[in-house]
Amino acid sequence: MSATTGSAAATSYAHGSWQTPLLSDTIGVNLDRTVTAHGERVALIDRVTGVRWTYRQFVAEVDMVALGLLASGIVKGDRVGIWAPNRAEWVLTQYATARIGAVLVTINPAYRAHELEYVLNQAEIRMLIAATQFKTSQYAVMIEQVRTRCPGLEQVILLDDPSWIALLETGRAGDPAALATAQAMLSPDDPINIQYTSGTTGFPKGATLSHHNILNNGYFVGELCGYTEADIICLPVPFYHCFGMVMGNLAATTHGAAMVIPSASFDARGTLETVATERCTSLYGVPTMFIAELAEPELDTYDLSSLRTGIMAGSPCPVEVMKQVIDRMGMREVCICYGMTETAPVSTQTRRDDSIHHRTATVGRVGPHLEIKIVDPTTGRTVPRGEPGELCTRGYSVMLGYWNEPGKTAEAIDSARWMHTGDLATMDHDGYIAITGRIKDMVIRGGENIYPREIEEFLHTHPDILDAQVVGIPDPKYGEELVAWIQLRDGATLLDATALRDFCHGRLAHYKIPRHVHLVDEFPMTVTGKIRKIDIRETSTKLFADEQADRT
C-alpha cells in the first residue's frame, strides 16, 4: 500500500509516498465522519472517573462544551488555554475548541506561576480552563497569583467547580444551529493549536499548528500502526504534548478507535491494570515509562495478550528494553517515532515489521507525504547518505510559525519551507534515520525537551548568582540529568544543590530543576570569549559519575 522513496542519487533525501491522499477536513468534520461510520463503538474511557462514551455520546458531550464556549463569547481565532492533567474534560476541550475554530493553547501541567503568566500573556489567552489542583500543584492559587498581571485573561473555568458545570448547562441549552454555522466558517488551514516548546534563547516559543497539520499527522501515524476501529489505545502520555493529543487522540478518532486514559498522570501499575482490564491493543510511552512497567514485580501476572502495537518516543530506546517490550509485553509491532512539536510532531517512524536493530539504532523512515533531508549545517547542501548533517523536514506537518514571533519563525523555517530541526543525523541507504547528536544544547530528560537557556535566565534572578550554565549529563533512569555550574557574586554565601532546588521549587517545572550543582570561579572559555559547554558537560560527567552510578 505504501512505499518510501529516496532520490536516484545517493543523497540524504527521502520522500514518503502513500496511496491514500492527505485529509482535507477540519478536525470537527473528520469527527463527524467517524461518528457516522462508528457511532456505537467506544470512543473514550477514563478509568479515574468511570466515563465510557461511544462516539455518538462523545460528540454530544463535545458539542455541549462547544456551545458553552460560543455562549461565553469565544469565537474563531480566540485563544483558549487548557491547564490540567489527563482527564476526559481535557479531550472534550480539545475537540470542542476545534469545532468552533478557537485556538487551543496546551499548557504543561508541571508549569509554575511565572511560566503560566508568560504563556497567558504571550498567547493572549481569553479563557483558561484548568484543574483546581492536582497533587502538589495548586492551579487555582497560581492563577489568582498571576491574574492581575494578565489583562487579556477574561474568563477562568475550573474543572470540578461550579464554573465548569455552568459552562455545560449553558451549552446544553444552546442552539445547535449556532455550532453548525461556526463550523461552516472554518478552513483546514486555520490555526487550531499552540504548543509551547522551550527556546535556546530564553522563554518558550508557541508552535502554531493547523487542523491540516495535526489531523493528518495523527491519521498517518495511526496508519503506520495499522489502526482500525477495533483498536483500543492506552494513553498514559500527557495530552498537553503532541504525543498524547495528536499521536494518541487524533490517531484514534481518525480511525474510529478507542482512547483510554489509565490515570491523570503516569502510573506504571495503573497502566498495566488498564491494558489488562480494557483489553488494549496499543500502548504509548517514553522509554522510562516502559522501563517502569517492566520493573513492576507483578508484571507477569497481568494479562497483556491483547497488546499488538504501540509507540515509543521521546528518547532513544535501549536494545534490551525493546526486546522485553516485545517479548514480555507482547508488543510485537511497537513503533518508534521521531519529530518535534514544530512538525506536528512526527517526521519519521519505524514500520510494524522492522527489526529490533532498526527500532533501537534508528528512528525509522520518512512518514507518508513528507520529505526529509540531511544537510551540511554550514553550506546547506544535502550530504551523501551515511554522512552526518542537520535533519530537515518539509511537508504538510510543518507548523504555521511561532505565535507572534516572525523572526524566530524565519530562523527555523527557511524560504523553501524546510523546518530545520537542529538535530544531527545520518540516513542509510535504505532511508533509515539515526540521530547522532544535537546542534542545539537541548537536554532530553525522561522524554521532556529542556533548553538550558531558559533555566539559566531563571537562575539569574537569584540574588547571589552572578552567572549560571546548565548542561545535561548521562543518566541511567531519565536518559539525561541537569547540572548547573554556578558563579556566585562576591560576598555571597555558599549555594548547594538543595538550596538551589528550594529556590526553584514552585517556580520552575520539576523536570527543569537541576539535580547537581557545581560552584566555580570562572567558566571554560574559547579564545573569543565564548563559554565551552562541551568542556562543562565532559567535566560534569566525570564529577558526578559516582552519584549517577548509584541511580542504576
Side-chain angles (χ1 to χ4, degrees):
M1 184 176 176
S2 66
T4 303
T5 60
S7 59
T11 57
S12 295
Y13 169 88
H15 169 259
S17 63
W18 196 262
Q19 293 180 5
T20 305
L22 288 166
L23 303 179
S24 58
D25 298 331
T26 61
I27 291 170
V29 169
N30 184 266
L31 180 60
D32 287 336
R33 294 185 193 281
T34 299
V35 173
T36 298
H38 307 294
E40 303 313 313
R41 298 198 71 91
V42 174
L44 179 66
I45 298 169
D46 185 345
R47 292 273 295 174
V48 176
T49 62
V51 160
R52 184 178 296 265
W53 289 321
T54 66
Y55 267 98
R56 204 169 304 284
Q57 293 168 328
F58 174 65
V59 79
E61 296 288 331
V62 166
D63 287 354
M64 184 164 55
V65 176
L67 284 166
L69 293 174
L70 287 173
S72 300
I74 299 298
V75 298
K76 176 183 176 181
D78 284 343
R79 272 74 66 203
V80 175
I82 178 74
W83 193 32
N86 288 11
R87 53 189 294 170
E89 293 88 346
W90 205 110
V91 187
L92 293 179
T93 303
Q94 175 185 347
Y95 286 85
T97 50
R99 294 285 254 186
I100 65 172
V103 180
L104 183 69
V105 184
T106 58
I107 304 173
N108 190 329
Y111 270 8
R112 291 307 186 223
H114 91 283
E115 296 156 312
L116 172 68
E117 179 182 345
Y118 174 78
V119 169
L120 289 173
N121 286 324
Q122 206 278 331
E124 302 167 297
I125 291 174
R126 285 192 64 198
M127 175 188 283
L128 177 62
I129 298 174
T132 304
Q133 64 180 54
F134 181 68
K135 294 184 177 179
T136 61
S137 294
Q138 299 293 326
Y139 297 116
V141 172
M142 286 188 277
I143 292 167
E144 288 306 310
Q145 288 174 351
V146 306
R147 193 166 184 176
T148 58
R149 299 191 295 275
C150 301
L153 181 62
E154 299 172 3
Q155 301 179 67
V156 173
I157 306 293
L158 295 177
L159 304 175
D160 303 317
D161 178 86
S163 57
W164 175 256
I165 302 302
L167 181 76
L168 297 181
E169 291 299 326
T170 301
R172 188 174 287 112
D175 181 3
L179 180 54
T181 299
Q183 186 158 289
M185 297 176 64
L186 306 184
S187 162
D189 294 323
D190 291 336
I192 201 63
N193 181 213
I194 298 175
Q195 298 203 20
Y196 278 84
T197 178
S198 294
T200 56
T201 56
F203 285 106
K205 302 186 293 291
T208 307
L209 303 166
S210 67
H211 293 267
H212 192 67
N213 291 147
I214 61 177
L215 182 68
N216 277 289
N217 204 262
Y219 174 68
F220 285 107
V221 165
E223 286 289 281
L224 292 184
C225 288
Y227 286 157
T228 71
E229 69 275 11
D231 277 292
I232 303 169
I233 308 169
C234 184
L235 299 169
V237 295
F239 288 152
Y240 79 87
H241 189 271
C242 279
F243 200 172
M245 69 169 289
V246 178
M247 299 157 67
N249 294 345
L250 285 169
T253 60
T254 53
H255 290 87
M259 304 165 279
V260 182
I261 306 171
S263 53
S265 62
F266 176 67
D267 174 75
R269 182 173 297 178
T271 299
L272 294 170
E273 289 176 349
T274 297
V275 170
T277 302
E278 301 297 341
R279 307 304 295 154
C280 296
T281 60
S282 178
L283 173 62
Y284 286 15
V286 298
T288 52
M289 291 180 178
F290 285 102
I291 290 169
E293 289 155 7
L294 290 165
E296 274 295 312
E298 299 179 356
L299 171 66
D300 294 332
T301 67
Y302 294 102
D303 181 1
L304 307 181
S305 60
S306 59
L307 280 177
R308 169 182 63 82
T309 187
I311 294 177
M312 195 180 303
S315 57
C317 176
V319 175
E320 288 306 312
V321 173
M322 178 60 73
K323 287 180 178 177
Q324 289 190 56
V325 165
I326 293 171
D327 294 341
R328 297 185 64 195
M329 301 180 73
M331 297 172 61
R332 59 193 180 279
E333 297 178 8
V334 64
C335 296
I336 299 294
C337 291
Y338 164 83
M340 58 194 308
T341 304
E342 291 88 337
T343 55
V346 176
S347 297
T348 70
Q349 186 172 346
T350 58
R351 294 348 188 217
R352 290 181 283 160
D353 57 353
D354 275 342
S355 68
I356 288 180
H357 167 75
H358 281 134
R359 292 189 234 192
T360 54
T362 82
V363 291
R365 294 176 284 154
V366 65
H369 299 294
L370 293 173
E371 297 173 272
I372 58 172
K373 66 177 180 178
I374 297 174
V375 302
D376 184 306
T378 303
T379 67
R381 294 191 183 95
T382 306
V383 301
R385 294 210 175 187
E387 290 192 11
E390 183 182 14
L391 178 60
C392 301
T393 299
R394 181 167 69 180
Y396 75 83
S397 69
V398 176
M399 67 175 179
L400 301 178
Y402 293 119
W403 184 261
N404 283 343
E405 295 196 79
K408 297 296 183 186
T409 301
E411 291 174 9
I413 304 173
D414 65 27
S415 59
R417 289 293 297 172
W418 285 99
M419 177 74 207
H420 289 252
T421 68
D423 288 333
L424 292 169
T426 60
M427 179 187 295
D428 70 15
H429 289 285
D430 295 319
Y432 286 90
I433 300 296
I435 305 298
T436 58
R438 296 188 293 278
I439 297 174
K440 304 169 185 175
D441 288 323
M442 183 176 73
V443 176
I444 302 179
R445 181 190 182 276
E448 293 280 1
N449 292 350
I450 304 170
Y451 288 88
R453 185 63 179 168
E454 181 188 356
I455 303 171
E456 291 162 357
E457 291 197 3
F458 174 74
L459 293 180
H460 276 91
T461 65
H462 192 292
D464 292 339
I465 292 177
L466 178 64
D467 200 359
Q469 296 295 320
V470 176
V471 298
I473 62 174
D475 182 78
K477 182 176 181 180
Y478 293 108
E480 289 185 289
E481 192 56 271
L482 294 173
V483 178
W485 281 35
I486 303 294
Q487 186 179 10
L488 295 174
R489 299 183 185 277
D490 290 340
T493 57
L494 290 179
L495 186 71
D496 61 13
T498 300
L500 188 72
R501 284 197 291 269
D502 288 343
F503 175 73
C504 298
H505 183 71
R507 303 174 71 188
L508 275 184
H510 65 86
Y511 61 85
K512 297 180 185 177
I513 299 176
R515 180 175 181 80
H516 304 291
V517 170
H518 181 53
L519 299 181
V520 296
D521 294 324
E522 59 185 11
F523 300 102
M525 299 277 193
T526 66
V527 292
T528 59
K530 294 181 179 179
I531 293 173
R532 287 184 54 83
K533 281 205 167 182
I534 188 171
D535 291 348
I536 294 176
R537 190 175 295 109
E538 290 175 354
T539 302
S540 298
T541 301
K542 296 174 183 176
L543 276 174
F544 300 105
D546 290 342
E547 290 185 49
Q548 292 298 102
D550 290 340
R551 288 162 58 78
T552 58

